[in-house]
Amino acid sequence: MRLDKFLKVSRIIKRRSVANEVCDMARVFVNNNPAKPAKQLKENDIIMIEYKTKILKARVLKIPTGNVSINEASSLYEIIEE
């Protein structure tokens, strides 16, 4: 699954267009490498997002096949550092 779509489906970032913008600003890293929105994610990848005042690190636990309900969204990833 694409990085921008995973960020939206998992509800780490609310909209896919915002996820694209954040990736294009080089604020999203996958396994410590700058990531483009089309980066294909795998299980156990580490996503790091740099916000203005904090850094969020999350491990991908599961790659969904389609859309996910709000209740299941948080089970797709594990917060490592916030």
Side-chain angles (χ1 to χ4, degrees):
M1 175 176 277
R2 289 172 52 112
L3 173 61
D4 58 346
K5 187 166 184 181
F6 180 82
L7 292 173
K8 177 202 169 281
V9 169
S10 65
R11 291 171 175 76
I12 293 175
I13 295 179
K14 300 275 190 236
R15 288 187 283 294
R16 192 167 175 181
S17 60
V18 174
N20 275 317
E21 289 175 19
V22 173
C23 290
D24 288 338
M25 292 188 312
R27 292 181 171 238
V28 179
F29 299 84
V30 175
N31 299 326
N32 292 324
N33 297 316
K36 298 285 185 187
K39 168 82 174 147
Q40 291 295 317
L41 289 181
K42 301 179 299 275
E43 292 181 2
N44 294 318
D45 279 347
I46 305 293
I47 300 172
M48 184 174 74
I49 303 172
E50 293 180 345
Y51 294 99
K52 288 184 179 182
T53 58
K54 67 178 182 174
I55 293 176
L56 173 75
K57 275 190 178 180
R59 175 179 285 118
V60 177
L61 297 178
K62 189 171 28 172
I63 301 291
T65 54
N67 285 334
V68 178
S69 71
I70 293 173
N71 299 332
E72 296 174 357
S74 61
S75 69
L76 299 177
Y77 62 93
E78 167 189 31
I79 299 293
I80 298 171
E81 184 181 320
E82 192 167 6

